[in-house]
Amino acid sequence: IDFDTRINNIFTIMPEDDLKEVTFKGGGGTSLTEVFAHATIQQPKLLIVFSDLLCRSIKETPDYDVLWICVNNPEAEVNFGELIHIQML
């Protein structure tokens, strides 16, 4: 799911697909609300969120696992799931 303040595009990626071919449209601002609403309908086993997490946090723990990959924001915290911080140049 490509998102910023809203969902811009939803991709279906197959094992044989080249991820370098996927282009994202987002830019500026972050809102997790629509992403978690969509995931709640889809009920994934795992949701992996790549974000700087400079946004309002999601308070309610979903019924699926969440892995947060937080980019360039070492102070960010989350209310549930596992959080990994990465620093990109």
Side-chain angles (χ1 to χ4, degrees), residues 41-58:
I41 293 167
Q42 298 298 313
Q43 284 297 298
K45 291 182 181 182
L46 172 67
L47 176 65
I48 303 172
V49 178
F50 290 83
S51 175
D52 57 16
L53 294 176
L54 294 171
C55 58
R56 287 192 180 125
S57 63
I58 299 294

Side-chain angles (χ1 to χ4, degrees), residues 1-2 11 15 20 24 48 55 59 62 69 75 80 83 87:
I1 299 174
D2 172 17
F11 300 100
K20 294 176 187 172
F24 297 96
I48 303 172
C55 58
K59 304 287 185 199
I69 309 296
E75 305 301 317
F80 55 84
L83 174 62
Q87 200 68 26

Side-chain angles (χ1 to χ4, degrees), residues 49 51-53 68-74 76 83-87:
V49 178
S51 175
D52 57 16
L53 294 176
W68 304 90
I69 309 296
C70 182
V71 182
N72 296 342
N73 183 6
L83 174 62
I84 298 172
H85 287 277
I86 62 172
Q87 200 68 26

